[in-house]
Amino acid sequence: MNAVVLPRTSIWPRRWQRTLLILIAVAFMLVFLLLPLAVVFTEALAKGVQTFFVAITQPEARSSIRLTLLVAAMVVPMNIVFGIAAAWAVARFEFRGKALLGALIDLPFSVSPVIAGLIYVLLFGAQGWFGPWLNAHGIRIIFAVPGLVLASVFVTLPFVARELIPLMQAQGSEDEEAARVLGANGWQMFFRVTLPNIRWALLYGVLLCNARAMGEFGAVSVVSGHIRGLTTTMPLEVEMRYNEYDYAGAFAVASLLALLALLTLAIKTALEWRYGDDLAAHAPGGH
Amino acid sequence: MTLELSHLTRRFTDYPALDDVSLEIPPGEFLALLGPSGSGKTTLLRILAGLDYPESGSVRREGRDLLALDARRRKVGLVFQHYALFRHLTVADNVAFGLRVRPWRTRPKRADIAARVERLLRRVQLQDMATRYPAQLSGGQRQRVALARALAVEPDLLLLDEPFGALDAQVRVSLRRWLRELHDEFGLTTVFVTHDQEEALELADRVVVMNRGRIEQIGTPEAIYHDPATPFVCEFIGKANRIAARCEGGKLVAGGLVLGSDPWDGRHDSAIVYIRPEQFVVAEPDEGESWPVCVRHAFRAGGTMHLTLDAAALGQVLEMDVFDGERPHGAWHHGACLRIRPRHVTVFPDGIGPAAALTREPRIVAPATQPVAAGP
């Protein structure tokens, strides 16, 4: 986004007012964001680097890292497929219930993650609607990996679609029509024209989706059952260690999660800086 | 390879975009679809391209149903108003796109594609821009890339949607002459959509004037300008003075001047007369058959004087153009009074409802001294 130079008129704050506003914002960031982050890393390393490495290489820790990566690796592709399909439908077609679809995409943002988790327990749990049938066929969803994936898909559903819809609406379908008239079939049109046009916004959505999938606690906590080494993802592992007064261990795993978040932030910022024009959120005009 | 469009109708939710449109396009023709926005001209173009479909009617090429073919199999080149260049591809890759997406059996060899792209880029004078991206080009250059991209697939039919709409005036004029040369050189059949009548009249072999989804007139630029078929064409093409006239005793009369004999033999009481500003001549003071007028404003534009005249006999203002070469009477200044008469007028019956007045019985008559000429 371009820097906006504010005109010096009476409606804009005086110099001291401006300084005060900036100070408040910076102080807020320091206290509520940077300080906790610093605490995570200092606590993680408080008992020495040795303890830190022991904490994150314990079997439970390694299994939680593996599980978190596995869940993200399944959730992100599902989200890409759904996100592109939903964005395509909303941006390119007129159909009954289009407004409803648009509203439903946002639903996971407004529903508490705990409720999302409970919904799946009600559906697939032992006492749930499909519980007896699933049980009879030996399929485990709740308190198992499929439940974790379902809950994560639910909470991350909007990320990719939300990035793509405004961009695809702004770009319109002329490029795709041009490709069709030039003789491209559907797949060629998609891979040679549509996808390149939305690639940076898609990557941006994938990053946000990935960060959320790895960091999700509420929904996952409900469906996990907290079986050590089997169904605990990293956020759950952090909580369990904390509850067991293993502060160094909790913060060690937490610091890994924080590192993931920082990495996401860095890539996201780089994307915004380099391809800001192609990202819907930052260029309402599209191109 | 004549293209036959017959009885095409396309309806959007609340208005007809095309209403029973029939048209024949012979090979090699440069055809303009001219009309105001919402007249259906772009819808017609999109139907030819395969991007839109009519509710009824047919399009045939060599007797074969074109509508049954998918857009990608029609061998049509389309240039969009805003070019729709692929922004992630270089100029050369944009031009090569239509060749590279072909199935491998019909796809030219890599070297052949490169050669054809280079030849086309040289033809549109962009050989030095091959590795640039669309964002690095000017509007006129983008337009030429879009054209080269459309021509690369050797289309049977070239379609252009407002091809010069997004360009500034100077580039526009030079580019349209160039486009006409290209059309003749490649032996193309070209259909282009425009709302700019000057463009249509200058470039096209034939012009199709459209209004509210219907064809008002199809004809050469001369016919469209000099023998307009409907009041809409009169008012849309060029400037025209609109004057109410009466049919009295076998004569057509306006403001006390007999314009000619009644072309309808008393079937209509009143008529609407259109006179183009350059169709007025200054009459000698003693000539009876003329209107007395006084100059209200005089504007000079190059070698032409545009006059606004008060015509008391008609109770209205007239626009008249006088070219320097044919200026018989000194300076035109505010308040000067003179007598004028029309050389050529176009008449339509009035008072029988707008639908009937649209297409029925246009007549072109000349002033009293000359014989009456029948319209198309």
Side-chain angles (χ1 to χ4, degrees):
Chain A
M1 191 182 286
N2 293 327
V4 178
V5 180
L6 298 176
R8 277 175 173 278
T9 59
S10 56
I11 66 156
W12 299 105
R14 295 163 197 280
R15 180 178 282 273
W16 69 266
Q17 289 170 322
R18 216 182 312 179
T19 315
L20 186 67
L21 277 174
I22 294 169
L23 275 180
I24 292 173
V26 169
F28 201 86
M29 296 276 283
L30 276 175
V31 173
F32 290 97
L33 284 173
L34 283 180
L35 192 63
L37 207 56
V39 168
V40 168
F41 287 106
T42 39
E43 282 295 317
L45 296 166
K47 294 192 178 158
V49 181
Q50 184 100 37
T51 329
F52 174 80
F53 279 109
V54 170
I56 61 166
T57 49
Q58 282 169 348
E60 294 86 7
R62 293 221 308 260
S63 126
S64 76
I65 293 169
R66 254 201 318 273
L67 186 60
T68 296
L69 293 177
L70 175 73
V71 168
M74 293 176 77
V75 167
V76 170
M78 286 166 80
N79 242 303
I80 292 175
V81 172
F82 167 79
I84 291 176
W88 193 293
V90 171
R92 294 284 180 267
F93 305 134
E94 291 299 327
F95 54 93
R96 265 168 206 273
K98 178 168 152 172
L100 189 67
L101 180 64
L104 279 179
I105 288 172
D106 278 341
L107 187 69
F109 278 162
S110 50
V111 171
S112 163
V114 176
I115 297 173
L118 279 174
I119 292 168
Y120 287 109
V121 171
L122 279 173
L123 281 176
F124 305 119
Q127 271 76 49
W129 287 9
F130 304 111
W133 186 88
L134 290 170
N135 215 10
H137 291 78
I139 302 168
R140 291 210 60 162
I141 291 182
I142 301 304
F143 305 149
V145 176
L148 297 175
V149 173
L150 281 176
S152 302
V153 163
F154 183 92
V155 293
T156 56
L157 201 63
F159 286 105
V160 173
R162 270 283 142 228
E163 277 306 314
L164 295 186
I165 287 170
L167 179 70
M168 289 179 73
Q169 277 173 337
Q171 286 182 343
S173 49
E174 271 203 352
D175 285 11
E176 285 145 9
E177 289 177 346
R180 290 296 280 177
V181 174
L182 286 167
N185 63 31
W187 292 111
Q188 287 172 323
M189 178 188 78
F190 179 75
F191 284 108
R192 288 170 185 247
V193 175
T194 311
L195 204 55
N197 274 348
I198 60 170
R199 58 190 162 182
W200 301 120
L202 181 64
L203 187 55
Y204 190 89
V206 163
L207 269 178
L208 295 180
C209 168
N210 183 54
R212 182 69 191 266
M214 287 182 168
E216 174 56 25
F217 177 82
V220 165
S221 173
V222 178
V223 297
S224 147
H226 298 79
I227 307 163
R228 265 262 162 97
L230 284 179
T231 63
T232 47
T233 59
M234 287 169 78
L236 300 179
E237 182 71 19
V238 172
E239 191 218 14
M240 287 169 76
R241 288 183 180 210
Y242 183 81
N243 287 345
E244 291 156 5
Y245 306 104
D246 176 10
Y247 295 133
F251 279 110
V253 178
S255 69
L256 283 184
L257 267 177
L259 269 180
L260 277 174
L262 285 177
L263 188 68
T264 304
L265 188 71
I267 301 174
K268 172 175 162 294
T269 311
L271 269 180
E272 277 170 10
W273 177 72
R274 175 70 181 79
Y275 302 105
D277 289 349
D278 289 336
L279 296 174
H282 300 267
H287 38 91
Chain B
M1 209 164 356
T2 303
L3 208 59
E4 296 162 46
L5 292 66
S6 54
H7 306 292
L8 290 174
T9 298
R10 174 79 171 97
R11 217 161 263 290
F12 291 135
T13 38
D14 46 355
Y15 67 98
L18 287 181
D19 186 1
D20 196 28
V21 166
S22 297
L23 178 64
E24 264 190 25
I25 307 171
E29 184 164 66
F30 202 113
L31 185 81
L33 300 176
L34 175 66
S37 60
S39 59
K41 54 194 194 301
T42 298
T43 306
L44 188 54
L45 197 79
R46 289 175 63 83
I47 286 174
L48 290 179
L51 297 172
D52 202 341
Y53 286 86
E55 267 103 41
S56 60
S58 69
V59 180
R60 303 192 154 271
R61 183 164 62 191
E62 288 180 316
R64 285 175 52 199
D65 185 8
L66 195 70
L67 294 178
L69 288 178
D70 188 68
R72 55 187 287 250
R73 301 186 198 282
R74 287 198 188 179
K75 295 202 75 181
V76 156
L78 175 60
V79 176
F80 288 82
Q81 184 176 5
H82 300 290
Y83 321 131
L85 294 178
F86 306 129
R87 73 204 82 175
H88 62 286
L89 297 180
T90 62
V91 166
D93 288 340
N94 261 283
V95 176
F97 187 92
L99 300 171
R100 293 207 177 123
V101 295
R102 284 189 187 170
W104 63 272
R105 265 185 240 98
T106 53
R107 191 187 312 147
K109 288 199 196 76
R110 195 177 287 251
D112 294 342
I113 292 180
R116 197 190 294 184
V117 167
E118 206 205 317
R119 210 164 49 236
L120 274 164
L121 284 181
R122 186 167 301 133
R123 184 60 191 84
V124 300
Q125 292 156 21
L126 286 172
Q127 62 271 34
D128 302 331
M129 304 283 174
T131 55
R132 301 261 187 111
Y133 286 88
Q136 296 168 300
L137 303 180
S138 70
Q141 290 169 334
R142 282 179 214 182
Q143 164 76 281
R144 275 140 59 197
V145 175
L147 206 56
R149 185 178 70 176
L151 291 176
V153 296
E154 295 174 333
D156 292 338
L157 178 65
L158 181 64
L159 305 171
L160 306 145
D161 186 7
E162 299 274 359
F164 312 106
L167 300 172
D168 52 55
Q170 275 193 332
V171 181
R172 199 182 295 191
V173 171
S174 65
L175 210 55
R176 70 191 187 205
R177 303 248 160 95
W178 174 84
L179 178 67
R180 179 71 224 215
E181 282 170 25
L182 205 68
H183 165 89
D184 295 337
E185 178 190 321
F186 279 62
L188 296 163
T189 305
T190 306
V191 177
F192 80 106
V193 156
T194 181
H195 65 270
D196 183 345
Q197 44 167 305
E198 196 188 313
E199 208 165 278
L201 297 180
E202 182 185 318
L203 270 180
D205 296 324
R206 281 196 308 160
V207 178
V208 178
V209 183
M210 297 188 67
N211 180 36
R212 295 154 159 248
R214 303 185 69 103
I215 293 180
E216 294 270 340
Q217 186 173 5
I218 306 173
T220 61
E222 293 85 62
I224 297 284
Y225 189 80
H226 291 296
D227 301 333
T230 68
F232 174 83
V233 179
C234 277
E235 292 181 23
F236 187 68
I237 306 287
K239 283 198 288 185
N241 293 288
R242 188 177 192 274
I243 296 165
R246 301 201 55 76
C247 305
E248 293 170 351
K251 302 247 182 270
L252 190 67
V253 184
L257 173 64
V258 176
L259 295 170
S261 55
D262 176 3
W264 305 293
D265 300 325
R267 268 175 291 135
H268 302 295
D269 290 340
S270 53
I272 298 294
V273 174
Y274 289 95
I275 306 169
R276 298 216 179 273
E278 73 273 15
Q279 292 296 346
F280 283 116
V281 286
V282 176
E284 294 305 318
D286 54 347
E287 239 180 301
E289 299 293 343
S290 57
W291 287 311
V293 294
C294 293
V295 177
R296 183 190 276 192
H297 293 298
F299 314 92
R300 167 164 290 282
T304 310
M305 285 294 282
H306 298 295
L307 304 174
T308 309
L309 307 168
D310 277 320
L314 295 164
Q316 74 179 81
V317 170
L318 296 177
E319 300 283 337
M320 173 177 173
D321 289 349
V322 184
F323 304 105
D324 280 356
E326 58 175 73
R327 203 169 108 197
H329 295 296
W332 311 98
H333 56 83
H334 175 79
C337 290
L338 61 149
R339 300 187 73 90
I340 59 169
R341 63 179 172 82
R343 263 192 296 237
H344 183 276
V345 304
T346 306
V347 192
F348 298 94
D350 188 27
I352 51 168
L358 268 182
T359 50
R360 218 149 293 163
E361 303 188 87
R363 289 288 186 276
I364 293 155
V365 296
T369 50
Q370 288 158 34
V372 173

